[in-house]
Amino acid sequence: MRKIILPIVVATLALSACNSAKSTLIPTDPEKWGEISEQVKSLDDDDREAVTKYMMRMTLGAAFSGGKAGIPPGTTIGDAIDQQHEWQQKQQQEEAEAAALKAKVEAQKAADAAKIKQAATVAITDVSILPENMMAGRYSDRLNMEIAVQNKTAKQISGIKGTVNFDDQFGSRISSLNLSLDEDVKPNESRNITGYGRDLNQFEDSDKKLASIPFAKMKVTFVPEMIVFADGSKIGSVADDEN
């Protein structure tokens, strides 16, 4: 009988100690947290971790808000555990929603890119560096691109928007450039376009690398995001209207 009763008594005492600990008020002054160290130690691992994270989170919040936040007076260890669990669940929900939104956006971009590639092909056929020339109005070196566009549709293209990625021969990204080609391309025809690029910053490592690597040793790709046709219809991230 004693063998049966003893574990029950021990469990009861442990539960009582835990409940007593959870009713303990947390000092609002972090310098007095040592006064509740024994009560915190008496908690199980999960509760101890929760209350510790709560206390640190609230204290950091007070530090970043100029002392306006912090642990509210009257907060018990049990309150802190419950509030930390609620906060963590909310964080997990927000992270899951953000991940789902990101996946949706990426899937839409991939679908848009596939449709755009069926309608047009854009290729960067050459990249050159125009040296600084103040007499010509260039106050820094300028990256200049030659671009070929093939319109595969029966409608005139009014413009194409996307991103140009510059990778070295080892596959590492050097730089990226947002590109909006406000150029007409007739139905079922191709066109070579020049004059697009950007100024280079001699103090930026990525720009210095762009200027030093020959085009033949780079992989330059165009990732399409939108096509606008002369009739007002669009394919891409803002609209997919092929009326």
Side-chain angles (χ1 to χ4, degrees):
M1 179 65 70
R2 290 179 60 187
K3 291 182 179 181
I4 297 174
I5 294 175
L6 184 59
I8 296 175
V9 171
V10 171
T12 301
L13 291 174
L15 180 61
S16 176
C18 181
N19 289 334
S20 175
K22 288 184 178 181
S23 64
T24 301
L25 292 174
I26 301 176
T28 56
D29 183 356
E31 294 184 0
K32 296 182 179 180
W33 285 354
E35 298 174 2
I36 62 170
S37 60
E38 291 303 318
Q39 288 86 343
V40 172
K41 288 179 182 179
S42 70
L43 301 170
D44 61 38
D45 291 344
D46 289 342
D47 286 348
R48 191 183 310 116
E49 181 181 4
V51 72
T52 301
K53 287 183 175 180
Y54 171 86
M55 293 162 70
M56 294 304 298
R57 177 168 62 84
M58 298 302 288
T59 302
L60 287 173
F64 285 112
S65 64
K68 295 180 181 180
I71 297 177
T75 301
T76 66
I77 290 177
D79 295 333
I81 293 169
D82 291 341
Q83 290 177 33
Q84 182 64 21
H85 286 156
E86 290 175 3
W87 183 84
Q88 289 178 174
Q89 289 173 358
K90 184 179 179 181
Q91 290 295 110
Q92 291 170 357
Q93 181 179 352
E94 290 177 353
E95 289 172 2
E97 290 173 353
L101 179 59
K102 180 181 178 181
K104 181 180 178 180
V105 170
E106 290 178 348
Q108 184 61 52
K109 284 184 177 180
D112 289 343
K115 289 180 180 180
I116 292 171
K117 287 179 180 179
Q118 291 178 350
T121 298
V122 179
I124 312 301
T125 56
D126 191 27
V127 173
S128 59
I129 304 298
L130 301 178
E132 174 186 338
N133 186 338
M134 293 186 181
M135 297 298 293
R138 288 195 304 274
Y139 299 98
S140 64
D141 291 348
R142 180 173 174 80
L143 180 143
N144 186 57
M145 298 182 294
E146 294 184 13
I147 306 165
V149 179
Q150 179 188 11
N151 185 352
K152 303 176 184 178
T153 74
K155 297 190 294 185
Q156 179 166 305
I157 289 175
S158 177
I160 301 177
K161 179 182 178 181
T163 302
V164 181
N165 293 324
F166 300 87
D167 297 339
D168 64 21
Q169 61 183 333
F170 306 105
S172 297
R173 181 63 43 83
I174 303 171
S175 183
S176 294
L177 170 64
N178 294 327
L179 182 64
S180 295
L181 291 172
D182 297 307
E183 306 287 344
D184 294 334
V185 184
K186 294 179 179 179
N188 298 308
E189 291 191 11
S190 299
R191 181 181 171 189
N192 293 321
I193 301 169
T194 60
Y196 286 84
R198 69 173 175 85
D199 294 335
L200 298 177
N201 185 337
Q202 61 179 322
F203 303 107
E204 288 285 343
D205 289 341
S206 58
D207 282 6
K208 288 191 289 187
K209 192 170 183 179
L210 273 178
S212 65
I213 299 178
F215 176 64
K217 290 191 175 183
M218 282 194 292
K219 180 181 179 182
V220 185
T221 54
F222 179 78
V223 180
E225 296 173 7
M226 181 187 296
I227 291 181
V228 178
F229 293 97
D231 65 1
S233 60
K234 303 173 184 177
I235 303 174
S237 56
V238 174
D240 186 357
D241 180 7
E242 296 184 295
N243 293 333

